[in-house]
Amino acid sequence: MGGRSTIRYSGSPIPLSFDEAGQRKQVNLVDFGQDSAATVLPLAVPEFQPLRLLRGTLEEIETQLLAFGDGQSETRTWLDIEVITDAWLNDIQRHIQTLAAELPVDILLLRRNRDKQRRALENAPRETLNELSVNDVFERRLAQASTPDDKQRERLRALYNEVAGNIRCGHPPEGETQ
């Protein structure tokens, strides 16, 4: 530490979070001899509980998961999985759990990173809802949604306009009573 070979940061001899997954851990054996110089012998700490962070698209995650099927590890690996997608995947957890069912892994954390949407929101001009109309909010949300085609977008607009028109006129949506 600080360029001095006699001062060490103690840290933790085991990973305490997935941020430390894959980091080599060690302890130092210090021998204080008769002279003033101490000798330091680094000793690697074996990895007792493997931790891994898998990050990527759904296809990349599938490939990374299948690599655990080689059967080389006797210890189950704990996983933190971050799927990068802006698509709406309602069965993502079930899909990944099915893929991992026969593998020597335990999925401790599964999350979706909507990086594209987050960046779009960060770069958007700072506005408050008071400055936007209800139609503006709907159109911006529709622009962020991953819909397969223009026909579906137009269908969503028509349904929105029908509901919004009924609400403005004081009529409940079809099939509902006040």
Side-chain angles (χ1 to χ4, degrees), residues 53-175:
L53 173 62
L54 306 183
R55 186 172 194 266
T57 64
L58 187 56
E59 295 77 23
E60 292 168 340
I61 296 296
E62 289 173 0
T63 302
Q64 293 174 55
L65 270 175
L66 293 176
F68 287 95
D70 61 13
Q72 292 184 15
S73 175
E74 294 178 22
T75 306
R76 295 181 67 81
T77 302
W78 290 354
L79 298 178
D80 173 355
I81 300 176
E82 181 178 358
V83 181
I84 301 171
T85 182
D86 287 320
W88 177 254
L89 304 170
N90 60 349
D91 65 341
I92 190 170
Q93 184 162 356
R94 186 171 1 122
H95 178 72
I96 289 178
Q97 291 288 0
T98 301
L99 280 172
E102 301 299 319
L103 299 173
V105 299
D106 292 317
I107 300 171
L108 300 187
L109 183 60
L110 173 61
R111 55 203 152 93
R112 180 174 37 195
N113 179 334
R114 294 181 179 175
D115 197 46
K116 184 176 163 188
Q117 280 187 356
R118 182 185 53 77
R119 279 187 276 127
L121 288 173
E122 286 174 356
N123 294 332
R126 301 288 181 216
E127 297 172 310
T128 64
L129 286 177
N130 291 339
E131 298 172 302
L132 301 173
S133 71
V134 175
N135 288 338
D136 292 338
V137 173
F138 175 78
E139 285 298 328
R140 289 184 186 187
R141 180 60 186 99
L142 185 60
Q144 290 178 351
S146 40
T147 53
D149 56 32
D150 289 337
K151 184 177 179 182
Q152 186 178 10
R153 284 182 186 274
E154 288 308 313
R155 174 82 174 126
L156 290 170
R157 270 193 195 96
L159 290 170
Y160 165 76
N161 288 331
E162 180 181 336
V163 170
N166 284 334
I167 291 171
R168 280 191 290 271
C169 296
H171 303 295
E174 257 184 61

